[in-house]
Amino acid sequence: MRLRFKDKQEYVTYWENLVELEREAEKDFHLNEILSLSGKERQKKGRAILGLQGRYIGEIIGDFQVYRFFKEDMPDHQINVGDVVLVSRKHPLRDGIEGTVFEKGKHFITVVFSQILPSGKKWRIDLFVNDITFKRMSGTLHMFEKGYSFFPEDTVLGDNGYTVCEEEIQFFNESLNQFQREAVKKAVCSDKLFMIHGPPGTGKTTTLLEVIIQHVSKGDRVLATADSNTAVDNIVEGLVERGVNVVRIGHPARLKKELLDVSLDAVAESHPDYNEVRSIEKKIKKLKSLQESYKKPTAQRRRGLSYSDILKYAKSGKKVRGHRIETLKSMAEWIRLQKEIKKLSDRKRKIEDRIINDILNSAEVICATNSTAGSEFLSDYVFDVVFIDEASQSTEPSCLIPVIKGLKVVMAGDHKQLPPTVLNPDAKDLSFTMFERFMKIYPENTYMLKIQYRMNDIIKQFPSEEFYDGQLISDESVKDRKLSDITGKEGDAPITDDTPVVFIDTEGKFLEKQKKGSRSKYNPEEAKAVKSIVEKLKEIGVLTEDIGVITPYKDHEDYLKKIIPDVEVKTVDGFQGREKEVIVISLVRSNPEEEIGFLDDLRRLNVALTRAKRKVIIIGDSKTLSSNETYRKLIKFIKEKGTFVTVEEISLT
């Protein structure tokens, strides 16, 4: 992992190589799977849906075409709102059209396209890859190399931190605790760079919102970003609630429905000058309709004549190259109409550009994903402050996209939780983020939030000691949270009583399995035990929406979903940033070799342990897990502070 770079060339070469490796890995993954697997096999993996019927719904903001695809027996799939998909009639790589998922229901998927689809009775949808983010990363690296960075280059390279001061300020959010206030004061006063380290449940985004509003009140131009649309929407939601004039840039299909009103497209449509755009669109539509009455000058029909030749011969009334004069005149009229359409389209584009610039210039805060910060909308913009939330989940090249647009940068994140996902093992250094690198080389520019508002104090203790140097403090409002607070009664067994932390040892009785051709693991017997745990929780009155089941392995997640359909089941990665009243963690690994595989990435353990408010129940093979020192310490901690039982003792075998 590189901390410092001697110059811009070394920096750009290092990161560009990693970006290219990852780009190829992500692209190849989907392309190779489409090539190597049948549609049915890909559907079985949840990355394609076959035999869909389609129906045109209409247009939404920005002339996007909306189609709904549906079938009664919709299979389980991984396609979610905001995903880029290929929609095809027969083969995705031959006739596939790229679209973005807008809505998802039990029996349907709604997809937004930038064009009208050809007719077809049956459709196939494939999960695909969007290359634009990689291109923006690469483009930003080259801009940085050429000196187009408003943020100090030496700071990016690792040579120059900044003194952080404090100043007395008037807080807009009076309910901030002392650590949040301290972070706000330091972030506002810092000259160029500041990092807010927010462990689970400490109100990181709440603190960041206060810093943003402090800068807005000073009249600063602000850009707020994050790597994911969900994280950006959380910022937008918080700013809207606090009355800030915010504009969200992004594809309407990727935004929360509740936030569409502040999307750039929606704000543009409500602009007083947009009536002129509508008027031009009507004229263009009329001309296109008229154009259908004339012959389009295709290459075959023109027979080598240019557009100007056609216009000249049609005007003179002379035949040429075997063309009938009626054909020439028809093509000439088509060309004349096309010129009018182009002139109107150019005028429309200029008005739209003027409207967009007006909106962006008047916004107090512009919000976008890191990638969208590199779009043409913001190509000429410079910001007084750039804020990046969830920065510990963004690769360095992703963070660099917004960073070079700011005179000052404030980041928030937690490098003790999961890093960005990297597919290519040769590009694993991409998981070492700018946030973590800056924290290591500029510790004086960092401040950690310490009061957590999520977990019962005993649930908090182990992650605090193991990952945060014992510095986390439980707020009085949560430290004694118990299961019986939400059920009205305390159960009489480890699964249902008020003990906050429980470990259920499978004692090597439930061995892990692996599907052919899969790198993932699953454990059917352990999954059945998880189902029993969930049933016992529901019996004492815990609501299904208050229970979360977490596992490190995708194949185990899939197995669990089949047998526990009414409770939210996700991998650790899918649960980051989430919380539930009760969490059941199924660790899967159980083998004679006592190998725990990627469970040894202890950030996964940290995330899993810190999702629960009142109770966390861990099920796994203590012998296999104890091959790792941290899991050994966790089991020892639970024996001392919680309840340690075997599956036999509580009748789960």
Side-chain angles (χ1 to χ4, degrees), residues 116-339:
I116 295 281
L117 296 187
S119 59
K121 289 183 179 178
K122 293 288 182 182
W123 296 90
R124 166 178 172 171
I125 294 181
D126 281 84
L127 204 52
F128 195 48
V129 114
N130 192 342
D131 207 31
I132 196 162
T133 298
F134 290 109
K135 285 177 180 172
R136 284 176 181 161
M137 287 182 194
S138 183
T140 300
L141 285 164
H142 285 291
M143 286 173 72
F144 179 76
E145 188 174 23
K146 289 173 183 174
Y148 298 123
S149 176
F150 293 94
F151 188 72
E153 294 167 356
D154 54 352
T155 302
V156 174
L157 298 177
D159 288 338
N160 189 8
Y162 295 89
T163 305
V164 176
C165 60
E166 287 180 40
E167 61 182 44
E168 287 308 311
I169 58 176
Q170 184 68 42
F171 290 97
F172 293 92
N173 184 350
E174 291 292 345
S175 63
L176 296 177
N177 65 49
Q178 77 249 42
F179 298 105
Q180 292 170 330
R181 285 171 178 249
E182 195 72 12
V184 171
K185 286 195 283 186
K186 288 177 181 292
V188 170
C189 189
S190 66
D191 186 24
K192 292 289 179 185
L193 175 68
F194 196 74
M195 279 82 67
I196 299 169
H197 179 197
T202 54
K204 167 182 59 64
T205 303
T206 300
T207 308
L208 190 69
L209 285 168
E210 177 70 19
V211 184
I212 292 172
I213 292 167
Q214 289 287 340
H215 279 281
V216 167
S217 71
K218 291 163 66 175
D220 288 334
R221 286 183 58 76
V222 171
L223 172 67
T225 73
D227 205 54
S228 72
N229 280 291
T230 302
V232 178
D233 284 345
N234 289 339
I235 298 172
V236 175
E237 219 160 15
L239 292 172
V240 168
E241 284 170 7
R242 289 160 176 80
V244 177
N245 176 10
V246 56
V247 172
R248 169 73 154 98
I249 302 176
H251 196 300
R254 297 192 183 105
L255 316 186
K256 269 188 183 176
K257 279 185 177 180
E258 300 81 8
L259 300 176
L260 278 175
D261 285 350
V262 295
S263 71
L264 181 58
D265 297 283
V267 178
E269 288 195 0
S270 63
H271 192 279
D273 291 351
Y274 202 81
N275 286 332
E276 197 176 346
V277 172
R278 289 191 183 95
S279 174
I280 292 170
E281 284 174 342
K282 282 180 184 174
K283 288 176 184 175
I284 290 171
K285 194 173 182 180
K286 193 174 178 182
L287 290 172
K288 283 185 174 178
S289 177
L290 197 58
Q291 213 177 23
E292 289 174 8
S293 309
Y294 300 99
K295 295 186 186 298
K296 186 177 180 180
T298 59
Q300 187 180 10
R301 193 172 276 153
R302 291 201 320 263
R303 298 177 190 171
L305 294 177
S306 67
Y307 277 16
S308 56
D309 288 338
I310 292 167
L311 291 169
K312 183 176 72 175
Y313 289 122
K315 190 176 181 182
S316 68
K318 290 180 183 177
K319 285 186 178 181
V320 64
R321 297 188 188 175
H323 279 299
R324 294 170 60 209
I325 191 64
E326 290 81 5
T327 303
L328 284 169
K329 284 185 175 180
S330 184
M331 287 194 293
E333 189 58 24
W334 191 97
I335 293 165
R336 187 187 67 77
L337 289 168
Q338 187 63 26
K339 284 185 175 181

Side-chain angles (χ1 to χ4, degrees), residues 281-553:
E281 284 174 342
K282 282 180 184 174
K283 288 176 184 175
I284 290 171
K285 194 173 182 180
K286 193 174 178 182
L287 290 172
K288 283 185 174 178
S289 177
L290 197 58
Q291 213 177 23
E292 289 174 8
S293 309
Y294 300 99
K295 295 186 186 298
K296 186 177 180 180
T298 59
Q300 187 180 10
R301 193 172 276 153
R302 291 201 320 263
R303 298 177 190 171
L305 294 177
S306 67
Y307 277 16
S308 56
D309 288 338
I310 292 167
L311 291 169
K312 183 176 72 175
Y313 289 122
K315 190 176 181 182
S316 68
K318 290 180 183 177
K319 285 186 178 181
V320 64
R321 297 188 188 175
H323 279 299
R324 294 170 60 209
I325 191 64
E326 290 81 5
T327 303
L328 284 169
K329 284 185 175 180
S330 184
M331 287 194 293
E333 189 58 24
W334 191 97
I335 293 165
R336 187 187 67 77
L337 289 168
Q338 187 63 26
K339 284 185 175 181
E340 282 188 52
I341 290 168
K342 186 183 182 305
K343 199 183 291 181
L344 285 168
S345 297
D346 291 343
R347 190 168 141 219
K348 178 192 165 196
R349 198 173 299 111
K350 281 179 183 174
I351 297 166
E352 286 174 331
D353 288 345
R354 190 176 73 233
I355 290 169
I356 286 166
N357 286 331
D358 187 31
I359 291 165
L360 296 180
N361 285 324
S362 61
E364 291 178 312
V365 182
I366 295 170
C367 293
T369 60
N370 293 345
S371 174
T372 305
S375 70
E376 59 184 19
F377 291 120
L378 298 178
S379 58
D380 299 323
Y381 282 81
V382 183
F383 296 89
D384 296 303
V385 197
V386 168
F387 292 88
I388 306 175
D389 199 7
E390 305 292 5
S392 52
Q393 292 177 52
S394 306
T395 65
E396 175 133 354
S398 171
C399 271
L400 190 68
I401 298 171
V403 161
I404 66 168
K405 294 181 174 297
L407 302 172
K408 170 180 172 177
V409 171
V410 177
M411 297 181 180
D414 181 13
H415 57 294
K416 300 294 185 180
Q417 294 187 62
L418 287 174
T421 302
V422 177
L423 292 177
N424 191 327
D426 294 331
K428 67 180 184 301
D429 283 4
L430 277 173
S431 64
F432 184 57
T433 63
M434 181 183 276
F435 180 82
E436 187 171 3
R437 186 167 73 88
F438 281 179
M439 280 194 69
K440 286 184 185 298
I441 55 181
Y442 306 127
E444 68 280 5
N445 293 74
T446 303
Y447 190 81
M448 187 175 106
L449 306 177
K450 295 178 183 176
I451 298 178
Q452 68 86 17
Y453 297 89
R454 178 182 295 160
M455 298 163 271
N456 173 288
D457 193 60
I458 291 174
I459 297 174
K460 174 228 67 179
Q461 280 182 35
F462 183 81
S464 177
E465 293 295 333
E466 193 65 27
F467 304 109
Y468 302 104
D469 301 321
Q471 294 187 70
L472 293 190
I473 303 161
S474 296
D475 187 72
E476 287 297 323
S477 63
V478 303
K479 66 185 301 182
D480 295 320
R481 277 181 161 172
K482 302 185 293 292
L483 191 61
S484 60
D485 294 339
I486 59 170
T487 61
K489 58 187 174 187
E490 184 177 356
D492 56 2
I495 290 170
T496 56
D497 66 17
D498 278 340
T499 309
V501 185
V502 176
F503 190 98
I504 301 170
D505 187 9
T506 60
E507 299 181 296
K509 291 180 169 67
F510 305 157
L511 294 178
E512 68 194 52
K513 294 187 177 182
Q514 190 167 4
K515 293 177 184 175
K516 190 178 178 183
S518 174
R519 293 181 182 178
S520 189
K521 309 279 183 187
Y522 72 111
N523 193 319
E525 295 306 314
E526 187 171 296
K528 289 170 191 170
V530 171
K531 183 179 180 180
S532 296
I533 292 166
V534 169
E535 291 303 322
K536 289 177 189 295
L537 288 167
K538 288 195 293 187
E539 281 168 17
I540 65 152
V542 184
L543 301 176
T544 53
E545 59 263 35
D546 289 336
I547 305 169
V549 177
I550 300 179
T551 177
Y553 290 96

Side-chain angles (χ1 to χ4, degrees), residues 42-70:
R42 204 158 194 257
Q43 179 171 271
K44 199 177 268 188
K45 287 183 174 288
R47 292 191 276 271
I49 309 170
L50 310 179
L52 290 157
Q53 290 179 286
R55 186 172 71 238
Y56 178 65
I57 301 295
E59 288 186 0
I60 59 166
I61 298 160
D63 294 336
F64 293 105
Q65 310 301 318
V66 185
Y67 287 79
R68 178 162 287 179
F69 299 92
F70 51 92

